[in-house]
Every structure is written in structure tokens, then in C-alpha cells.
Amino acid sequence: RTYLIQIKMTQWPILNNPPVVVAMFQLKFDMDNVKLEDFLNFDQSLRHDLTERNDNFQASISIPNTASIPLGKSKVTGETDARRIGYEYFSKEQKRKLSINEGAITYIDETPYQGWDSFKDKILKYLKILEPILRETTVLRTSIRFINQFKFEKFDDPTEYFDTLVTAISDDGIFAHPVMKYGFQMSLEMGDSVISHVKQSAEKISDNIVYAFDIDVLDYNNLIFNVDSIDTTLDGLRCYKNDIFFKNLTPKTLALCN
């Protein structure tokens, strides 16, 4: 099945100091006819950019007749089952990571955010390297997640900064005691098989209020893997993400990002 996604591009404000602290991408795909070890064929190409690699393993231990094990120290005989479940490539400073697991590819970038085009170009570069394996596989889910963080020295009135809030009604219009920490989350139906999980939280750290604005957008439309199709899907997810982000920030908060 092929989906045609129409994207209405919007001229979003350009932020000189974007609050993004973590940008993530994930591709879920059907592992039929794909072997995890096949990805090692592209180990050298991936290491041109992400020079370090860790192999992830999963192990289990089975001990029969556990009811007969005596108290205290004793020797027992069991069976172990260990297998490789994925590979993780990362930069030397460990701020950029590409994880390849059974049925999932995840890219995490914690470097200073350089804009959407730079973030997307890195994703597409890695997908083009892995395309010979992923070609003709069924994509089950495509998602992006952006964690934004704001720091406020004064946060007496959250309505000055955000349009989606937790409020309390009392005689004097405020909480009875100073708030040190709070959070809430929502799940939004964005479009055809597209949903978003949004989390917002505030926490007092030292003399500042640190406010986290976490936006996760997931597209469950199935498609046959193709880099151009993923490119289009990513731009669609970005539009949903930006719509949530900019409609929740007040002009005062946007000013802080510039």
C-alpha cells in the first residue's frame, strides 16, 4: 500500500536559540527476510561518521528444580541463552547515537540543534547507507521526538509562557503553597493514523524552574521502505510537531528563544 501525503508547508518562526536538547527519530519495520547480522555489512560506512560501536546482548539463565535448592551457599547447574539483539554506533563524545535493533532503527542527537534540515539530512544519510537491506521491507511506524527545555528565574505566572497548563481554582487564584514540581501529558489524534504524545513538566532546580516540553509524533501508516517516502513522511511529522510547539508558546517565550 502506498500513501500520498500532502504537506502544507508553513513559514515557522526561526529561533536563534532553539530550546531543543534531544532530537530523536525511529523507524519500526518488519524483520521478515532481514537478519540482524546483515547490517554489519555496512559497519565501515557507518563508522566514517559514528566511529564507536557497542554490541548489545540479551542473556537468560534457566535453573531447573529451584525448589530443591538448599539455603546458604551451594553449587547449582543451569542453562544460559545469550544472543545479540542489536548494535549501537555513536560519536566519540557520545552525543549522537544510531541504534540498530531487531525491527527498529533509532537515531538520537543531543548536540546543539542546528535546525530541521541538518537533523533530517543525518537521518537520510544513514538510511541511504542501510537501504540495500531495508529495501522492500514494510515500514510499520515512523516517528520523531523532540525534547525542549526552558529555564526560568521567575515563574510566578505560567500563563505568561505557555498556553497549555495545569491550573487550580482557589480564593486567591494560586496554589496554597509554592509548587516545586508538576507535570502532565496528553495524547492527541493528529491525522490519519498519526498520533502525538505530549508531556510537559516543571521542576525547581537550584534557583531556576526547568520546564520540559516533550513532543513525540508517530505515524502508523504502513509503507514499503523508500528513502524518498521517508523524507516526505518526516516533513509531515515536522509539521505536526511544529504545530503543537508554536501554538503552545506565548510571544514572551518565543522571545526567550531569540
Side-chain angles (χ1 to χ4, degrees), residues 78-203:
E79 295 181 354
T80 63
D81 181 15
R83 64 189 185 93
R84 183 182 285 107
I85 60 171
Y87 312 101
E88 183 177 78
Y89 292 87
F90 51 95
S91 55
K92 286 186 177 180
E93 74 282 3
Q94 299 190 30
K95 292 291 187 178
R96 297 191 300 113
K97 300 177 184 179
L98 179 73
S99 298
I100 301 173
N101 297 303
E102 293 181 342
I105 294 174
T106 307
Y107 174 66
I108 303 174
D109 195 332
E110 298 179 75
T111 61
Y113 187 62
Q114 301 297 320
W116 173 256
D117 289 338
S118 175
F119 174 66
K120 187 178 73 167
D121 286 347
K122 290 184 178 70
I123 295 168
L124 297 180
K125 177 175 68 174
Y126 301 136
L127 293 182
K128 286 177 182 177
I129 292 174
L130 302 174
E131 185 175 16
I133 293 178
L134 297 173
R135 189 184 297 125
E136 301 304 320
T137 62
T138 300
V139 175
L140 305 176
R141 194 188 78 190
T142 311
S143 63
I144 59 172
R145 181 181 178 187
F146 277 65
I147 302 177
N148 305 277
Q149 190 177 89
F150 304 87
K151 290 184 179 180
F152 301 102
E153 293 182 1
K154 186 178 181 181
F155 200 66
D156 295 338
D157 185 2
T159 62
E160 293 183 4
Y161 301 99
F162 301 100
D163 290 330
T164 306
L165 302 162
V166 172
T167 63
I169 299 175
S170 62
D171 292 339
D172 52 9
I174 59 175
F175 289 100
H177 303 283
V179 177
M180 297 185 64
K181 184 177 182 180
Y182 79 86
F184 64 95
Q185 67 181 60
M186 304 176 293
S187 293
L188 308 173
E189 187 175 358
M190 306 301 297
D192 182 23
S193 296
V194 179
I195 64 172
S196 178
H197 302 300
V198 182
K199 300 178 183 178
Q200 292 177 243
S201 63
E203 182 175 5

